[in-house]
Amino acid sequence: MKDDVFDKYRTAGTLASRILKDGAKEIRVGVSYLELVESIETRVKDEGAALAFPLNLSLNEDAAHDTAAPGDERVFRKGDVAKLDLGVQIDGYIADTATTVDLGNNSLLLDASSEALEAAIRAVKPGVNAGALGAAVQKEIESRGYRPIANLTGHGLGQYLQHGPPTIPNIGTGGGAVIEEGMVFAIEPFATTGCGRVGEKSRMEIYSQISDRPVRIPAGRTILEKIRDRQGLPFSRRWLGERKLDLALPALVRSGTLHAYPVLSDIAGSLVSQHEHTLIVTGDGCIVTTR
Ligand code: MN
Ligand code: MN
């Protein structure tokens, strides 16, 4: 890896870590989702960096892909388990990191995903199979009486690439990609009191552009204009700033111009925790960029 690329990964990681920790401290009963999300996203831009994706704020059985909607009136409530997942990028080099805030009595559930993440990080070195990292995750979570979410995984990162190879499973799959020096990837264990698989809700707040084909409807063209600087990275409905543009989103998804990311949830009434770090594989282990 070139020195300047390494430096961008490290700078993005340090920044993401600090902003995520500060943001998590602001979560308490009565705080507005919208105010929290906007204040964290603004902080990234104020530091001269950019967002790799909208700040994900997913509550309780929702594992991923929720964020504040335009005019969102939701506030944190007693008992909530809140996942904050932040992506910071510098020239497209991404730091992807997540933590969970507990407003109830779920410290063991939070320990399950954070200890799973640490165990997997300790196992990273060249020559190890991704499946072995998944086995480390699964063991830590199941030993505390919870389930890992089997159909959510860690993933490789590249310039302006949020989900590339290798896939890092959250269960011991056996085999999988062989870890190599210089790889950059995120490990993100999810622990749940539910069934251990997520499904899609109808709620959609996050989208990304997947095709450059010309768009006929004017509102659709306005959306593509507004998100041009994303270079294919995800954006939020909230970022469009004009509610009337929302109407064009389903048409752009149907035509294959945009990809939608529905909220991913375990069964109703379950609780999900998540912890995530981004790392660079070295000759004998790894450097975690998002500490
Ligand atoms: Mn993430
Ligand atoms: Mn990730």
Side-chain angles (χ1 to χ4, degrees):
M1 183 180 291
K2 287 184 184 161
D3 284 353
D4 63 323
V5 170
F6 181 81
D7 289 346
K8 285 169 186 172
Y9 275 122
R10 291 302 302 265
T11 305
T14 304
L15 191 57
S17 169
R18 177 158 51 84
I19 293 173
L20 184 70
K21 281 186 190 131
D22 289 348
K25 283 185 206 142
E26 290 169 22
I27 295 182
R28 51 183 73 90
V29 172
V31 166
S32 138
Y33 292 11
L34 184 59
E35 282 175 27
L36 178 86
V37 167
E38 290 192 328
S39 98
I40 293 174
E41 289 183 347
T42 301
R43 238 168 287 171
V44 171
K45 293 171 199 161
D46 287 349
E47 295 282 351
L51 289 154
F53 48 82
L55 179 71
N56 281 215
L57 170 57
S58 308
L59 272 284
N60 303 329
E61 76 258 31
D62 296 339
H65 296 170
D66 201 358
T67 188
D72 204 319
E73 290 180 349
R74 292 177 294 174
V75 297
F76 293 98
R77 294 170 306 179
K78 192 170 184 298
D80 278 344
V81 172
K83 277 77 62 187
L84 276 180
D85 191 337
L86 175 65
V88 170
Q89 51 110 347
I90 295 176
D91 292 337
Y93 297 104
I94 296 169
D96 185 2
T97 182
T99 193
T100 302
V101 175
D102 175 29
L103 297 178
N105 294 302
N106 306 292
S107 59
L108 191 62
L109 177 69
L110 272 62
D111 286 351
S113 52
S114 68
E115 291 301 321
L117 175 58
E118 294 305 325
I121 288 170
R122 284 194 298 274
V124 172
K125 60 178 179 186
V128 163
N129 286 308
L133 306 181
V137 166
Q138 180 170 15
K139 181 168 166 253
E140 292 295 328
I141 292 174
E142 290 183 346
S143 73
R144 289 169 176 81
Y146 302 103
R147 291 194 171 97
I149 294 186
N151 61 341
L152 292 173
T153 67
H155 49 90
L157 293 158
Q159 191 179 24
Y160 293 104
L161 178 66
Q162 163 69 13
H163 287 112
T167 293
I168 311 295
N170 286 323
I171 52 170
T173 53
V178 178
I179 302 307
E180 294 169 21
E181 184 173 359
M183 278 182 168
V184 182
F185 57 85
I187 304 179
E188 50 182 312
F190 292 81
T192 179
T193 64
C195 74
R197 293 191 74 81
V198 288
E200 297 181 349
K201 278 189 171 170
S202 57
R203 179 181 176 84
M204 282 178 240
E205 295 295 341
I206 298 173
Y207 299 82
S208 65
Q209 185 174 359
I210 51 172
S211 153
D212 283 328
R213 80 187 75 179
V215 168
R216 238 172 303 150
I217 39 172
R221 286 203 296 271
T222 306
I223 290 172
L224 296 190
E225 196 67 29
K226 281 176 182 270
I227 62 161
R228 181 174 294 162
D229 65 342
R230 297 304 296 152
Q231 303 200 49
L233 290 174
F235 66 94
S236 163
R237 185 166 72 89
R238 173 171 42 81
W239 293 357
L240 298 177
E242 287 177 63
R243 297 292 290 274
K244 63 180 194 294
L245 294 177
D246 288 1
L247 298 169
L249 287 168
L252 291 177
V253 171
R254 275 196 305 277
S255 70
T257 302
L258 297 184
H259 174 73
Y261 298 84
V263 173
L264 299 174
S265 310
D266 202 327
I267 52 175
S270 64
L271 295 173
V272 177
S273 69
Q274 174 203 17
H275 287 84
E276 180 175 24
H277 277 308
T278 295
L279 57 86
I280 301 170
V281 182
T282 60
D284 61 352
C286 66
I287 294 168
V288 177
T289 66
T290 48
R291 288 277 190 214

